[in-house]
Amino acid sequence: MDYMQSIILGFQVALQWNNLLFCFIGVVIGTLVGVLPGLGPVAAISLLLPTTFHLTPVSAIIMLAGIYYGAMYGGSTTSILVNIPGEAASVVTCLDGYQMARKGRAGPALGISAFASFIAGTIGVVGLMLIAPPLAEMALKFGPPEYFALMIMGLTILTFLASGPMWKALLMAAFGLFLGSIGLDGMTASARFTLDIVELSDGVGMVPAVMGLFGISEVLLNVEQSIKRSVFETKIRHLLPTFQDWKDSIGAIFRGTFIGFFLGVLPGGGAVISSFVSYAVEKKVSRTPEKFGAGIIQGVVGPEAANNAATGGAFIPLLTLGIPANAVMAILLGSMMVHGMQPGPMLVQEQPGLFWGAVTSMYIGNVMLLILNLPLIGLWVRILKVPYPILFPLILLFCLIGAYSLNNSVIEVLIMVGFGILGYIFKKFEYEAAPLILALVLGPMLEAALRRSLLLSAGSPLIFFNRPISGVLMLISIFLLAYPLIPWLRRKRAILPQVSDEE
Amino acid sequence: MAKFNNDQVSAAIWIAVGIAVALGALRYGLGPLESPGTGFLPFLAGCAIALLASIGLIQSTLKRRKGTGWTPILRGVLWQKPLLVMAALFAYALLMKPLGFVLCTVLFIGFLLRAVEPQPWSVVLFGAIGTALGAFAIFNLWLKAQLPQGPWGF
């Protein structure tokens, strides 16, 4: 099937009324969770996952994907108007977006960020359509060692890019691998670390873990200080950018798109990191870097384009290799499995309707978002004015219902609450939860690939280095792991004399 | 100033966790390298946790000697509020089956609205009852989630 036929097939699926409806629901909910601080796409998708169980697989994926890229659109609204990021990928947008609003340019900031999101989101989908099928064909040649090496690289990249000391991020990944090993052993079916709790036989659920670590813990952190949000009180006018705005922004939009898409493809990359990188690049290439932070339009559109393009890129490893690039993709992987699909190289060939339907729905979703976002900004502003003390009980209730509905089990709720408390403690001690989640999801796949590889090589770990693809991937991982050691060693040398001096 | 800094304390706890995981994994058997057993990966994970935490302990000890002390994690925050929320979450989990979804949700939302950042009673009552009934209608009646019914059938 050539590209044209595939795209036509995709549109035939995506334009069915029920899929259009779920795409619409997805992007509206996505924008809403993007707008609301403290409830990101990870928590929202986990929350709504059980409600998709009675949908067709393609409708479910279309809706859940819509939430993801919809949240990227919505996040900018809160950043610009309230100076609080609606979700993590919009942190950077606060820097210049809010300053633009203070200067009376809230309208152009919101308008141009919606257009930047649309352009980047659309280019991201085109990239996904062009790259995914050939990559899936190549992935058919992957064996267990290549999969193992790729997953190790994904975890290493995530820990490398995580904030704070690398040992903490790696430790969280190792802890995630342990949590992922709880339950029945995939090869021998014997129970591990289940503490005789039946619900743990299927492993630690990713959904309660994600909702706890990202949803509940965020609420716990927010309630410990009285949040007084001040929504920027101004008439939002001139949403349509001027010619000068376009002239100033277009380069940043394309650079952000390029950065976002390729960082999105990398396992461990994603929207958050790409928005930061884009901001740094814009500042570097700017002739007036001193204006960054004071309300420059490039500081808004670059990161916004990057985080939207990253959403398209992030689907590539999931749909072609079955490997989630980030926590959101990990939940989508889980939901695809719930619906009886196995994302990976065979998906494009075996279920072309689903693959192309989901991809083309993103085009439609992006158009919906552009049309919806500008007229609905007033509504989002009103929602933002709902005080947090009234909002947080609702967020908690949705999490509780979401966790319970997974298996109608109180144990899942208790697991989620436990992870919430754990996430709260992690944040207090500055441990990032993202490597844990990625490792928790990849754990069972990684273990199967590791054990199969060792079976194939009669116990020789060299199998990961002898084969060209896995060898290159492992070398990249080793380089990333070794990289921080060099300055650390230098620093250590510098510290030791001081220590001896003190003694 | 406390004797240890935050990273020293957390790293020490992680070392204990890592050792416990590795020892626990040994019970399941590691198997030979050509055919790894059930405990193989968790054992590696436990060792990695303990090793990385040891690196962290060394680094944080060096920092401690340079003067990085304990940063109070609860200073300047209203720590009682997260505690109340945690208690409410546990209570909800334990009571949702015996009390049923609607009543349990009314109590849960009412408690949070009143206890964490006190709202007027009208907001508490309207918010709690409205939220419980609304959530019941959306999730139970529309989305067919099987929420616990309790002795009253709702």
Side-chain angles (χ1 to χ4, degrees):
Chain A
M1 203 187 309
D2 66 16
Y3 270 114
M4 213 52 215
Q5 278 178 305
S6 305
I7 292 167
I8 291 168
L9 171 70
F11 275 111
Q12 279 171 348
V13 174
L15 287 171
Q16 285 168 10
W17 73 267
N18 54 333
N19 290 334
L20 274 177
L21 175 70
F22 285 109
C23 183
F24 177 77
I25 294 173
V27 296
V28 172
I29 294 174
T31 312
L32 181 66
V33 300
V35 167
L36 291 174
L39 190 64
V42 180
I45 294 174
S46 329
L47 195 63
L48 289 166
L49 180 60
T51 67
T52 66
F53 290 169
H54 65 280
L55 303 181
T56 62
V58 68
S59 298
I61 299 304
I62 284 174
M63 188 179 101
L64 296 175
I67 295 174
Y68 182 36
Y69 55 83
M72 298 300 139
Y73 272 70
S76 58
T77 308
T78 324
S79 299
I80 292 166
L81 295 177
V82 198
N83 202 20
I84 294 174
E87 42 81 41
S90 303
V91 170
V92 187
T93 312
C94 289
L95 300 175
D96 283 280
Y98 187 66
Q99 291 304 323
M100 279 184 75
R102 283 177 64 102
K103 288 177 180 168
R105 302 200 70 221
L110 290 164
I112 195 77
S113 65
F115 280 109
S117 301
F118 173 73
I119 294 168
T122 308
I123 294 174
V125 176
V126 174
L128 168 62
M129 290 168 86
L130 293 176
I131 293 178
L135 189 64
E137 223 154 274
M138 199 183 99
L140 287 171
K141 293 174 191 148
F142 276 30
E146 284 77 18
Y147 271 102
F148 175 79
L150 190 66
M151 285 184 266
I152 288 288
M153 192 184 78
L155 284 173
T156 315
I157 291 173
L158 187 60
T159 53
F160 182 75
L161 295 173
S163 61
M166 199 164 169
W167 67 268
K168 281 188 176 177
L170 284 168
L171 191 150
M172 293 303 276
F175 188 57
L177 285 179
F178 159 66
L179 291 176
S181 73
I182 292 174
L184 294 183
D185 176 358
M187 291 177 99
T188 62
S190 48
R192 281 185 298 205
F193 300 102
T194 54
L195 309 171
D196 293 328
I197 299 169
V198 181
E199 281 84 351
L200 285 180
S201 302
D202 288 337
V204 174
M206 181 197 51
V207 175
V210 169
M211 285 200 291
L213 287 170
F214 291 93
I216 304 277
S217 69
E218 196 64 37
V219 170
L220 293 174
L221 275 179
N222 284 339
V223 295
E224 70 178 16
Q225 42 211 336
S226 294
I227 296 182
K228 296 245 184 316
R229 274 192 237 137
S230 58
V231 179
F232 205 77
E233 294 289 349
T234 179
K235 265 232 153 95
I236 296 165
R237 286 175 301 188
H238 307 303
L239 281 168
L240 291 179
T242 60
F243 177 72
Q244 187 59 43
D245 289 336
W246 277 113
K247 209 175 136 196
D248 293 341
S249 309
I250 200 73
I253 291 174
F254 283 110
R255 279 189 294 275
T257 303
F258 183 80
I259 291 166
F261 183 74
F262 285 101
L263 277 178
V265 174
L266 287 179
V272 183
I273 292 158
S274 58
S275 62
F276 277 95
V277 174
S278 163
Y279 190 81
V281 168
E282 286 313 313
K283 205 170 170 180
K284 203 151 224 172
V285 300
S286 172
R287 285 182 197 153
T288 51
E290 71 282 354
K291 287 187 180 167
F292 277 75
I296 192 164
I297 203 160
Q298 291 92 330
V300 177
V301 293
E304 277 305 307
N307 68 32
N308 280 276
T311 59
F315 277 92
I316 292 176
L318 177 72
L319 296 176
T320 58
L321 304 166
I323 292 177
N326 55 46
V328 176
M329 291 299 123
I331 303 170
L332 278 177
L333 172 73
S335 69
M336 289 171 97
M337 286 171 162
V338 167
H339 284 283
M341 291 174 277
Q342 184 59 54
M346 298 306 288
L347 187 76
V348 188
Q349 291 173 16
E350 286 177 355
Q351 291 176 304
L354 184 135
F355 177 85
W356 290 104
V359 172
T360 48
S361 81
M362 293 183 208
Y363 270 131
I364 299 164
N366 270 296
V367 176
M368 283 181 184
L369 280 164
L370 186 66
I371 297 168
L372 272 178
N373 252 288
L374 297 181
L376 286 185
I377 276 173
L379 174 70
W380 305 134
V381 171
R382 269 205 293 280
I383 288 171
L384 271 174
K385 286 180 179 170
V386 176
Y388 195 72
I390 290 178
L391 204 60
F392 86 85
L394 297 178
I395 296 173
L396 291 178
L397 181 66
F398 289 152
C399 290
L400 289 164
I401 296 172
Y404 180 82
S405 320
L406 283 173
N407 293 314
N408 295 336
S409 160
V410 170
I411 297 287
E412 301 280 8
V413 179
L414 287 169
I415 290 173
M416 180 193 69
V417 176
F419 271 104
I421 295 168
L422 209 56
Y424 177 68
I425 297 168
F426 285 161
K427 280 176 183 160
K428 288 281 177 193
F429 283 90
E430 296 168 354
Y431 286 84
E432 266 196 42
L436 187 156
I437 288 295
L438 195 61
L440 172 67
V441 177
L442 292 180
M445 286 188 269
L446 186 131
E447 182 180 16
L450 171 66
R451 287 164 77 176
R452 283 193 192 123
S453 303
L454 289 173
L455 272 169
L456 279 172
S457 68
S460 169
L462 288 176
I463 190 170
F464 301 114
F465 298 93
N466 289 341
R467 296 161 67 122
I469 298 174
S470 62
V472 169
L473 297 175
M474 289 301 278
L475 284 178
I476 294 171
S477 305
I478 290 169
F479 172 75
L480 291 175
L481 284 172
Y483 187 77
L485 285 180
I486 302 156
W488 181 73
L489 280 173
R490 278 191 204 132
R491 209 165 50 238
K492 192 180 156 198
R493 271 192 224 109
I495 288 166
L496 282 176
Q498 285 176 8
V499 171
S500 52
D501 287 347
E502 280 165 16
E503 283 168 353
Chain B
M1 191 188 275
K3 217 171 172 185
F4 304 106
N5 62 30
N6 303 45
D7 282 350
Q8 282 178 300
V9 173
S10 66
I13 295 169
W14 278 117
I15 290 174
V17 171
I19 292 170
V21 168
L23 290 177
L26 282 176
R27 287 191 302 138
Y28 301 109
L30 301 183
L33 206 53
E34 55 268 31
S35 173
T38 303
F40 184 68
L41 186 92
F43 178 76
L44 288 184
C47 292
I49 293 169
L51 179 72
L52 290 160
S54 304
I55 293 170
L57 187 64
I58 294 167
Q59 283 192 359
S60 51
T61 304
L62 291 173
K63 281 185 183 169
R64 177 76 189 85
R65 290 184 183 180
K66 278 191 84 183
T68 308
W70 174 262
T71 309
I73 52 173
L74 298 176
R75 186 189 287 165
V77 297
L78 308 162
W79 56 268
Q80 301 91 336
K81 290 185 177 181
L83 218 58
L84 283 174
V85 174
M86 286 177 207
L89 286 166
F90 274 116
Y92 188 93
L94 298 174
L95 293 175
M96 69 191 297
K97 282 220 160 159
L99 292 185
F101 173 77
V102 175
L103 181 59
C104 194
T105 303
V106 170
L107 295 174
F108 175 72
I109 300 285
F111 173 77
L112 291 177
L113 287 175
R114 190 65 199 165
V116 177
E117 201 136 331
Q119 303 296 314
W121 276 108
S122 56
V123 174
V124 174
L125 286 174
F126 181 76
I129 297 169
T131 303
L133 293 178
F136 184 78
I138 293 170
F139 289 97
N140 213 59
L141 303 179
W142 184 42
L143 295 171
K144 309 283 182 216
Q146 293 170 329
L147 299 170
Q149 295 198 326
W152 300 275
F154 53 82

